[in-house]
Amino acid sequence: TDTICLGDTAYLYATGSDSCWWSSGLMSNAIQATPQTTTQYIAWSNNICGSDSDTIVVTVIVPPVADAGPDQTIEYGQSATLQGQGGGSYLWTPSSNLDCPDCQSTNASPMETTIYTLMVTDSFGCVGIDSVLLELKYKDTLLVPNLFSPNGDGHNDLLYVRTFGEFENIHFRLYNRWGKMVFETFDENIGWDGYYNGTLQPLEVYVYYLVANTLDGKTIQQKGDITLMR
């Protein structure tokens, strides 16, 4: 008896003769079989002394039905619980921003909208796959990159505050390591080009302070580091 998962291939061998006939219609000592259900294969051989036959059963195991759960929507900065079903062992990918990638249930805290794939494996090693969409919504969120490179290559040359939601105003200030304010803006559409008083500032870590007011009167304050690179 040979056991395979549905969709896999069984390799069948017959010995004792130079040529064999199989119930599948093939003539060879070695054949490949990809049955959809459990199937019995018979091999016959003939020589001057007579004929003989042998039987092998290929047992087909239907893979587990993986269930990664329904699609979910969360706000930026929140987490969601992914609950898998269907297997003996579990593996979620991508594994980043998951607290337990090989657990049946795991908490996901993605930084962007992500499709998570769940692989469940049974005791025979057969695998079922399902996926779930975790969509990220940005509500009253302010994002400031932690790196930017004003080198004139057309990529990431300006540092902007990115707003998600509706804001009444923003106030963004940037300081060098000596505490000197090198950039200030009240407009999210105006970014820093890396210059202060006409001089390109050195490669170092800068500190920013950001205050913004939402339309419903909430005040959001953020502080962080930004590294200027070339």
Side-chain angles (χ1 to χ4, degrees):
T1 300
D2 194 6
T3 301
I4 63 171
C5 301
L6 180 63
D8 290 347
T9 298
Y11 298 89
L12 309 180
Y13 301 91
T15 59
S17 175
D18 292 335
S19 60
C20 292
W21 290 265
W22 293 85
S23 53
S24 61
L26 298 175
M27 180 179 177
S28 177
N29 287 79
I31 65 169
Q32 298 179 19
T34 310
Q36 299 300 300
T37 60
T38 297
T39 303
Q40 176 179 274
Y41 292 87
I42 303 174
W44 292 277
S45 64
N46 294 309
N47 57 32
I48 59 173
C49 297
S51 63
D52 195 11
S53 65
D54 197 9
T55 301
I56 184 172
V57 176
V58 177
T59 301
V60 178
I61 304 297
V62 178
V65 178
D67 184 1
D71 294 343
Q72 301 184 53
T73 300
I74 61 173
E75 292 184 8
Y76 179 85
Q78 294 182 339
S79 62
T81 298
L82 304 180
Q83 181 68 45
Q85 299 290 339
S89 63
Y90 296 81
L91 181 64
W92 297 88
T93 57
S95 60
S96 57
N97 301 312
L98 296 179
D99 64 355
C100 185
D102 57 355
C103 293
Q104 180 177 0
S105 176
T106 184
N107 290 321
S109 304
M111 303 302 292
E112 60 185 359
T113 295
T114 303
I115 295 177
Y116 289 97
T117 299
L118 172 65
M119 297 177 60
V120 298
T121 306
D122 63 17
S123 58
F124 296 97
C126 298
V127 177
I129 298 176
D130 193 25
S131 60
V132 60
L133 171 67
L134 192 53
E135 183 178 5
L136 224 57
K137 292 293 186 181
Y138 299 90
K139 180 181 178 181
D140 297 342
T141 300
L142 302 167
L143 296 181
V144 180
N146 58 6
L147 297 170
F148 93 113
S149 55
N151 54 14
D153 65 354
H155 300 285
N156 202 29
D157 286 331
L158 292 173
L159 175 71
Y160 289 101
V161 175
R162 300 300 184 186
T163 63
F164 298 89
E166 296 183 346
F167 291 88
E168 190 172 21
N169 55 62
I170 68 169
H171 185 195
F172 180 68
R173 293 167 293 158
L174 198 62
Y175 296 83
N176 62 18
R177 61 177 176 172
W178 309 110
K180 178 69 175 179
M181 187 172 69
V182 296
F183 179 71
E184 181 181 30
T185 184
F186 295 89
D187 187 345
E188 65 183 279
N189 297 308
I190 298 178
W192 187 42
D193 59 4
Y195 283 80
Y196 175 68
N197 287 340
T199 301
L200 185 61
Q201 296 303 288
L203 280 66
E204 61 180 57
V205 177
Y206 297 78
V207 176
Y208 75 84
Y209 295 88
L210 175 60
V211 179
N213 296 321
T214 64
L215 294 183
D216 59 4
K218 182 172 62 176
T219 299
I220 298 178
Q221 301 184 57
Q222 289 183 199
K223 175 186 176 182
D225 296 335
I226 298 171
T227 301
L228 191 156
M229 304 179 65
R230 292 287 187 269

